[in-house]
Amino acid sequence: MNMTSVIEKVILLQNVDLFSEVPTEQLAYLAAIAESRRFDADDVIYRQDDPSDAMYLVLSGRVRLSRDGTEVTTAVPLQAFGTWALFDDEPRVATAVALQATEVLRIDRQDFVDVLADNVRVTQSILRTVSRRLRALGRVVRGPAEAS
């Protein structure tokens, strides 16, 4: 898959939960900073404890995420990984390795921060999504009766 069109990237970014509240026309700002990257089988995308600098969306192929040598999950097409790297610079908590020829969209944290600084609607939409996630997590941790 060769990603050249901003429109194609917008369509793909609609699959990322973090961007689910961002209006389609606003996703174009994020699509403009998303870069396509290719990895061969066994290529390391990033290592545990590396600086967090970008998030990724799998376009084709599969990516194994492991922590301390133990597989945590496998990211498949249209799944994002490394998402929290957009919000802080804490070291990576997992290693990401391509399991086969893989193509991803990569969004650099600094570029993302620049988009947020310049686009209030994008920022508000992403904050709504993060807030929704945190509320859902609170319901899971406390249980439905205590979550209100």
Side-chain angles (χ1 to χ4, degrees):
M1 180 181 285
N2 186 9
M3 297 306 307
T4 57
S5 163
V6 169
I7 293 170
E8 291 172 304
K9 291 178 186 178
V10 165
I11 292 167
L12 291 164
L13 290 174
Q14 289 174 328
N15 292 290
V16 178
D17 183 52
L18 180 63
F19 305 143
S20 64
E21 301 277 337
V22 180
T24 303
E25 64 275 6
Q26 299 295 313
L27 276 176
Y29 294 109
L30 296 172
I33 63 169
E35 298 176 334
S36 178
R37 297 269 174 97
R38 294 178 190 273
F39 297 94
D40 293 325
D42 299 321
D43 281 355
V44 175
I45 299 169
Y46 58 76
R47 294 187 189 283
Q48 184 174 331
D49 297 322
D50 279 355
S52 294
D53 62 351
M55 70 146 281
Y56 299 84
L57 173 65
V58 179
L59 302 179
S60 64
R62 296 180 3 208
V63 176
R64 180 182 57 237
L65 298 163
S66 60
R67 181 172 175 81
D68 298 325
T70 302
E71 183 172 332
V72 176
T73 191
T74 299
V76 297
L78 301 182
Q79 283 188 322
F81 63 96
T83 308
W84 290 107
L86 296 178
F87 297 100
D88 67 39
D89 57 0
E90 292 296 311
R92 295 282 188 184
V93 297
T95 296
V97 178
L99 291 175
Q100 61 195 75
T102 298
E103 184 175 7
V104 298
L105 276 184
R106 180 183 185 277
I107 295 180
D108 179 81
R109 181 173 25 125
Q110 189 55 56
D111 292 342
F112 177 77
V113 169
D114 291 344
V115 166
L116 295 185
D118 293 339
N119 299 279
V120 173
R121 289 186 63 202
V122 173
T123 305
Q124 290 172 326
S125 299
I126 289 172
L127 287 174
R128 271 194 301 277
T129 301
V130 171
S131 175
R132 181 175 39 82
R133 276 187 176 184
L134 291 173
R135 285 178 190 265
L137 181 61
R139 283 190 290 274
V140 169
V141 170
R142 293 184 293 183
E146 303 173 50
S148 51

